[in-house]
Amino acid sequence: DRGARVVAIEIGPRLAAFLDRKLSPEFPGRLSVINSSFEDATIEHQSFDLVVTATAFEWIDPAFRVLKSHDALRSDGVFAVISTNQIGSRADRGFFERVIPIYQKYQREEVDTHLHDEQGVPEEYEELRSSGLFVDVQLRRYRWDQTYTTGGYADLVRSYSVTVVMPQADREGLIAELCRVIDDEYGG
């Protein structure tokens, strides 16, 4: 709506097609969708005012993520990394501690059971700061407590990359047990 030209790099073919189908007609000539990994995408050198990665930084190969982002930016450009950290909070009424064993039961990879301190510093902050490529690396925190219904939480868990790649039986077993806890112990 502000007249920006946006280039979206999306590795998932279905999501790339969805973005193109949904938004390109609404913003003709202002949105380009590249169906590629960030690592393999061809990006014009020093051509962007802003590069944003939203909850995807950790999935990009460390050999590419900082340097390629920096190289895509104009000299006065900004690189924004949006990440989420689950923090300990009274608002969850013990939910995350309660369901850690369920996640550990179904997920074959190491499960991050650590609830971060509200003042913790994300790993990517130090990576950007120590790269020496950026002049003013800043950390901004935005606290957001979110409440989900049982079905809403099930949908959220199904959307996580780590959950999507799980075998279907494990994924659905995980979600069924989480839903039982939400319904039985947290009133849905």
Side-chain angles (χ1 to χ4, degrees):
D1 288 341
R2 295 180 183 224
R5 183 179 63 90
V6 175
V7 176
I9 300 172
E10 171 53 49
I11 195 169
R14 288 178 34 206
L15 185 52
F18 173 81
L19 287 171
D20 195 38
R21 187 174 58 250
K22 175 135 175 102
L23 297 176
S24 289
E26 189 175 340
F27 303 102
R30 296 203 329 248
L31 173 68
S32 302
V33 180
I34 300 172
N35 181 208
S36 171
S37 68
F38 181 74
E39 295 88 339
D40 293 336
T42 301
I43 303 171
E44 191 175 333
H45 185 67
Q46 294 186 338
S47 60
F48 293 92
D49 297 313
L50 174 64
V51 173
V52 178
T53 173
T55 66
F57 188 78
E58 68 180 292
W59 299 102
I60 301 171
D61 184 333
F64 291 89
R65 60 188 176 207
V66 174
L67 185 58
K68 190 167 184 173
S69 297
H70 178 268
D71 287 348
L73 289 168
R74 292 187 175 96
S75 61
D76 60 346
V78 174
F79 181 34
V81 178
I82 301 168
S83 63
T84 57
N85 289 301
Q86 185 67 45
I87 62 169
S89 170
R90 283 184 271 201
D92 84 351
R93 300 183 353 238
F95 174 75
F96 286 102
E97 287 185 8
R98 168 63 182 89
V99 297
I100 285 170
I102 297 171
Y103 279 101
Q104 289 173 327
K105 175 180 173 182
Y106 287 97
Q107 292 182 331
R108 301 198 190 323
E109 296 179 15
E110 185 68 27
V111 178
D112 181 8
T113 58
H114 176 72
L115 291 176
H116 298 270
D117 179 271
E118 199 164 341
Q119 296 304 311
V121 177
E123 292 176 21
E124 51 269 38
Y125 172 79
E126 183 55 36
E127 184 176 348
L128 294 173
R129 197 185 68 67
S130 67
S131 74
L133 296 172
F134 300 97
V135 176
D136 184 23
V137 179
Q138 298 178 19
L139 172 62
R140 297 184 183 172
R141 294 181 179 93
Y142 302 92
R143 170 120 187 192
W144 179 46
D145 290 316
Q146 181 64 42
T147 301
Y148 295 96
T149 62
T150 304
Y153 192 72
D155 289 343
L156 177 69
V157 172
R158 280 189 184 94
S159 76
Y160 292 148
S161 301
V162 70
T163 311
V164 168
V165 299
M166 290 173 70
Q168 182 177 357
D170 289 347
R171 179 177 53 250
E172 295 310 313
L174 166 70
I175 292 169
E177 284 198 44
L178 292 171
C179 288
R180 274 194 295 279
V181 169
I182 294 168
D183 284 341
D184 295 349
E185 300 175 33
Y186 294 88

